[in-house]
Amino acid sequence: MSEQLKFIVEQLNKEPFKKSFNLITFDTLEPMQLLQILNDVLAEIDPKQALDIREEMPEQTVKRMCALLGMLKYKPPGNLSDVSSFRQGLVTGNKPVIHPILHWLLQRVPELKKRAYLARFLVKLEVPAEFLQDDVINDTYHQYEELVEGFKRYHKECEQLRTSGFSTAEIRRDISAMEEEKDQLIKRVERLKKRVESVSNHQRMLEQARQLRVEKEREESLTHQKQEQKNQLFQAEQRLLRSQQQLKDMRQAATDANPESLMKRLEEEIKVNSYMVSEKLPKELEGMRRTVHYLQKVALEPAMGQADLQELEDKIKEADSQINHLIEKRMMRNDPMDDNLTLYRQQASIIIRRKESKAEELQEAREELAAAERELRQRSSQAQGSDGEEVIRGDELKRLLVKLRGKGTVYKKKRQEIAELKAEYGVLQRTEEILKQRHETVQQKLQTMEAEKGISGYSNTQEELERVSAMKSELDEKKGRTLDDMSEMVKKLNSMIVEKKSALAPIIKELRSLRQRCQELSQEYEEKKAQYESCAAGLESNRSKLEQEVKALREETAQKENRYHYINSMSEIIEMQMRRAAEEMKAYVSSDPQERKKAIREVYMKNISEQELLGKKLREEQKMVRDSHSANMEQMKMWCDLEQLMECKRQCFIKAQSQVSIGQVIQEGGEDRLVL
C-alpha cells in the first residue's frame, strides 16, 4: 500500500497536475478533496470532465465517474466487486476505493487518453428496435454505422502513417519537384518535336535514332555481361590461389611434423580443453548461477526499513567479532602442523590461481588469434580483390614499407600538382562554358542561314551521321583492345606465379632450419620457466602469509579503535540523556507551578489540548458552512436580483430627470409646452 501511495504522490507532483503533496498530506486529505483530485485526473484523460464537484450533485458525480471508468474498462479489486459498495465508496470518498482508481489511471494516462478520444466516435448509440422500424431512422442509423467504420479505417491508416516515418512535407516537396520535372520534360519534348518537324526526312532520322538507342542498350547489356564474366573469372582465380596457398601451408606443416610432436601437441590441447570444460567453465557457470540466485532472492524480499538494516548491521558486527575471536584462538594455539598445512594450502591456491589466469590468458590468446586470422583473411581478400595478387609477407613487406616511406614525398608533390590541376580545371571549365555559348550562337546563325537557303537541318543530319560512324569505329577498336588485354593479362599472371614460386623456395629452406631452432629454444624456455615458477611460488607463499598477518593485525586495530570511539560516543549520549531526564523529573515533581510549566510533558500536553480545541472549532465552522451553504447561495442570488432591480430603478430615475430638464428648457424658450 505504501508503494501505491508513493507512486500516486510522485505522479501528482509531476506535469500536468503540479501538486505539492507528500505522503502525509495526501493521506490526510478530506473525502471531497480526494474526489476532486480523482476528477482532475479524469479531466486530464477526458477534458469534458473538467468541473468543480461542489457545483454538482453527488449522485450525478458518481454516475458520471462510473460511466467514464466503465468506458475505460476499469475493473475494481476483488474486495470491491460489489457495484453498490463501489458506488457507495465513491460517494463518500472512501480511500480504499479512490486510491486503486488513481493508481490504475496514473499508470496508463496516454493509453487512456487515446481510448477516451476514440470512445467519443466509436461508442455506438443504443436505438430501440421499435424506432428502427421507421425507414428514415433506419437509413440514418446505417449511415451512422458506415461513418463509424470509416472512422476506424481512417484512424488505422493515420496511425500507420505516423509510425511509418514518412513526412507529409517531404512527400509534398517530392511531388512538387516531380511535377516540375514532368513539366520541363514535356516542354523539352515539344521543343524537340517542333525542331524535328521542320526537317524534310525527319521520320527516317527518328528511325535511325531509335535503332541507335537500341544498339546502345544492347552495347550496355553486352558490357555488363562482359564485366560479370570478368568478375567470375577473377573470383575463380582467387579461389585457385587460396586453394594453392592452403595446399602449400598443409605441405609445409606436414614436412616439419612428426607423429611424436603431433601427439604431444594434441595431448596439450586435450589437457587444456579438458581443464576448461571440467574445472574453469563449470566454476564460472556455478558462480553466475549463485549470483543470479542471490539477486533473485534480494529482488523477492520485501522493502527493508531502518530497523531491518540496523538488525543486519548488528548481525554483521557479531559475526565479525566471532571471526576475530577464532583467529585469536588459532594464533594463540600456533600449531606447527597447521602452519605447514596453511603453507601447502597457500601454494595450492597460488597454483590454482595461476592455472586459472593462464587458462584465461589462453582463452584470450585464442580469441585474439581468431580475430587476427579473420582480419588477415579479410585484408588478404581486399588486397587480392584490388589488384589480383597475393598478400606480400616477410622481408618483401618490410621492403614495401621502406618504399612507401620513400614515396611519401612523391605523394605530397603529386597532391600539390593535383591541386594546381584542379585550379586549372576550373579555368578550363569556365572557358568551355564560354565556348559553348559562342557555339550555340553560331549554330543559331547557321540554322537561320539554312532556313533562308531552304536546306534547314542539313548540318544536324551530317553531324549525327559522323557521330554514329565515329562511335561504330570506337566500338570496333574497343573490342579488339579487350581481347588483346585479356591475353596479355593471362601471360602476366602466369609469369608472376612462376616468379613468386622461385622467390619463395630459398625462404622455405631457411624457415625449416629456423623452426628446428625454435623448438630447441622453446624446450629450454619451458625448463627455465618451471624453475622460475617453483621459486616464485615459495616466495609468493611467504609473502602472502606475511600480508595476511599484517592485514589481520590492522583489521583488529581498526576494530578496537572503532569500538573505543563508539563506546565513548554512547557514554556521552547516555550521560546527556540522563541529565535531561533528571532535569525533567525535577521540574515535573517540583511544587512550584512555574517550574512545572517548564516541563516538556506539560508543554506538549498544552499544545495537544490547543490543537484539539482548534480542530474542534474548525470542524464546527465547517459544519456551519455546509449547513448554511444552500441558504447563503439563495440569499446571494436574491441580493444580486435586488442589485439589478435597484440599478434598473436608478437608470429610470436618471432618464426621467433628463426628460424633465429638457421640458423645462423648451418651456422657458416659448417654443413648446411640457405636459406632465
Side-chain angles (χ1 to χ4, degrees), residues 401-412:
L401 291 174
V402 173
K403 288 181 181 179
L404 287 174
R405 291 192 189 96
K407 289 181 179 179
T409 55
V410 179
Y411 165 74
K412 292 179 182 178

Side-chain angles (χ1 to χ4, degrees), residues 12 52-53 96 116 152 154 168 219 227 318 356 374 393 412 420 450 452 519 565 567 576 661 669-670 675:
L12 290 176
D52 192 351
I53 60 173
K152 289 180 182 178
Y154 293 139
T168 55
E219 180 189 0
Q227 187 64 33
E318 185 178 355
E356 291 177 353
R374 287 196 299 270
R393 299 176 182 175
K412 292 179 182 178
E420 294 174 357
E450 287 177 355
E452 290 175 357
Q519 289 179 358
H565 293 302
I567 291 170
M576 181 64 69
S661 61
V675 180

Side-chain angles (χ1 to χ4, degrees), residues 28-33 54 614-629 632:
T28 56
L29 289 175
E30 295 292 331
M32 291 294 291
Q33 295 174 344
R54 292 176 296 181
L614 180 61
K616 185 176 180 182
K617 184 178 179 182
L618 291 173
R619 283 194 293 272
E620 290 176 356
E621 290 180 359
Q622 184 181 13
K623 185 176 179 182
M624 290 173 61
V625 170
R626 284 182 180 175
D627 294 338
S628 62
H629 177 70
N632 289 337

Side-chain angles (χ1 to χ4, degrees), residues 628-646:
S628 62
H629 177 70
S630 58
N632 289 337
M633 292 296 292
E634 187 177 356
Q635 186 71 24
M636 182 178 177
K637 186 177 180 182
M638 292 172 64
W639 276 109
C640 291
D641 295 339
L642 179 62
E643 185 179 0
Q644 291 180 0
L645 182 62
M646 296 300 292

Side-chain angles (χ1 to χ4, degrees), residues 76-112:
N79 53 357
L80 297 174
S81 58
D82 190 7
V83 178
S84 60
S85 62
F86 180 73
R87 292 173 65 89
Q88 186 67 26
L90 271 180
V91 171
T92 58
N94 196 4
K95 292 179 182 179
V97 178
I98 303 295
H99 287 174
I101 298 174
L102 286 173
H103 185 261
W104 186 80
L105 292 174
L106 294 172
Q107 276 182 330
R108 43 183 70 85
V109 171
E111 177 187 351
L112 297 178

Side-chain angles (χ1 to χ4, degrees), residues 82-143:
D82 190 7
V83 178
S84 60
S85 62
F86 180 73
R87 292 173 65 89
Q88 186 67 26
L90 271 180
V91 171
T92 58
N94 196 4
K95 292 179 182 179
V97 178
I98 303 295
H99 287 174
I101 298 174
L102 286 173
H103 185 261
W104 186 80
L105 292 174
L106 294 172
Q107 276 182 330
R108 43 183 70 85
V109 171
E111 177 187 351
L112 297 178
K113 276 186 179 180
K114 184 178 178 181
R115 188 178 294 174
Y117 167 74
L118 294 176
R120 295 190 327 192
F121 305 101
L122 298 182
V123 175
K124 292 185 179 180
L125 300 173
E126 295 295 334
V127 180
E130 56 269 16
F131 291 161
L132 292 175
Q133 300 297 327
D134 191 355
D135 295 336
V136 178
I137 295 175
N138 194 9
D139 294 339
T140 306
Y141 189 73
H142 284 308
Q143 291 179 4

